[in-house]
């Protein structure tokens, strides 16, 4: 059983994760338009991950006898000033998500909802990893510079991260079999 308060708060989180999925999809499309294939692939994967984050909460709410609400689709921005601005926006959005997860954890304590508290542990770790990853990319962009000549090298750096992530995912899948 879930309280109405917690159900509403988790449904708000569904909205935030769903929006992140659409925002990152829009970013993937912009990167592809710019010829930044590595960054596009990265953002497509981020978009898929956010959908998964949304669905975990969706299933959880219904599992504890609440009603998971399918959010309205809000149009994300379609254009981005630069690759640096794009990744800065991702980082800012991730910080917003982290703050929202922290508020949910506060609510768990206020309501003695240990089931939700346990469920949210996964998100705490995920947010720490995502913020660290975005900071790494932004640091690399600062180092390389983001003028027209640098885009190729930035994209190569992001592609390196894609390769590492794909290897990790493959290892996890092999481990799960
Ligand atoms: Fe699901 Fe990246 O926040």
């Amino acid at each position: 059983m879930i309280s109405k308060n917690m159900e509403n708060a988790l449904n708000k989180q569904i909205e935030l994760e769903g929006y992140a999925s659409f925002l990152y999809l829009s970013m993937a499309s912009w990167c592809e338009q710019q010829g930044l294939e590595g960054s596009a692939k990265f953002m497509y994967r981020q978009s898929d991950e956010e959908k998964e984050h949304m669905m975990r909460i969706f299933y959880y709410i219904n599992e504890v006898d609440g009603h998971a609400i399918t959010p309205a689709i809000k149009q994300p921005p379609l254009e981005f000033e630069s690759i640096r601005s794009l990744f800065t926006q991702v980082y800012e959005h991730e910080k917003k998500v982290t703050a929202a997860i922290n508020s949910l954890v506060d609510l768990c304590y206020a309501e003695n909802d240990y089931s939700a508290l346990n469920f949210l542990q996964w998100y705490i770790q995920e947010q720490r990893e995502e913020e660290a990853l975005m900071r790494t990319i932004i640091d690399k962009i600062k180092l390389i510079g983001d003028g027209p000549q640098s885009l190729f090298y930035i994209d190569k750096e992001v592609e390196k991260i894609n390769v590492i992530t794909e290897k990790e995912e493959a290892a996890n899948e092999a481990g799960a079999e």
Side-chain angles (χ1 to χ4, degrees):
M1 198 61 197
I2 185 171
S3 76
K4 204 67 205 162
N5 226 0
M6 183 62 78
E7 181 183 321
N8 290 342
L10 286 172
N11 271 315
K12 274 210 158 321
Q13 193 67 28
I14 285 182
E15 210 178 302
L16 200 56
E17 305 284 355
Y19 180 72
S21 178
F22 268 71
L23 175 63
Y24 299 166
L25 190 61
S26 182
M27 288 174 165
S29 182
W30 183 84
C31 289
E32 239 180 347
Q33 295 276 306
Q34 310 295 315
L36 300 165
E37 295 303 325
S39 303
K41 201 202 286 180
F42 180 85
M43 293 315 302
Y44 277 125
R45 194 179 51 248
Q46 289 300 117
S47 175
D48 285 346
E49 279 187 15
E50 296 302 345
K51 163 117 192 280
E52 190 205 317
H53 298 175
M54 178 181 83
M55 291 311 297
R56 275 177 180 253
I57 305 170
F58 204 93
Y59 294 135
Y60 175 80
I61 294 176
N62 283 342
E63 189 189 336
V64 292
D65 209 18
H67 184 183
I69 305 294
T70 310
I73 300 176
K74 200 171 118 204
Q75 171 93 71
L78 305 177
E79 300 291 338
F80 301 91
E81 209 177 293
S82 64
I83 193 71
R84 182 171 179 166
S85 151
L86 183 147
F87 277 108
T88 305
Q89 284 183 51
V90 174
Y91 184 44
E92 290 306 319
H93 192 76
E94 288 305 323
K95 285 201 283 188
K96 200 167 142 188
V97 174
T98 302
I101 294 289
N102 290 345
S103 298
L104 281 169
V105 170
D106 287 344
L107 186 62
C108 291
Y109 284 113
E111 296 202 345
N112 293 333
D113 187 339
Y114 300 112
S115 165
L117 183 65
N118 175 260
F119 168 72
L120 288 168
Q121 298 308 307
W122 183 87
Y123 285 85
I124 294 172
Q125 184 179 339
E126 183 70 15
Q127 283 311 118
R128 188 172 61 236
E129 288 172 6
E130 290 212 330
E131 281 194 28
L133 179 60
M134 295 314 154
R135 271 200 308 275
T136 305
I137 295 174
I138 292 169
D139 285 347
K140 280 193 194 302
I141 295 175
K142 281 184 193 160
L143 219 66
I144 299 170
D146 64 344
Q149 312 293 330
S150 315
L151 290 179
F152 175 79
Y153 296 101
I154 292 172
D155 204 49
K156 276 218 158 325
E157 287 298 324
V158 178
E159 180 55 25
K160 276 187 208 163
I161 294 173
N162 290 334
V163 171
I164 293 168
T165 309
E166 279 159 16
K167 274 188 190 154
E168 281 172 359
E169 283 171 357
N172 286 343
E173 270 171 34
E177 278 166 16

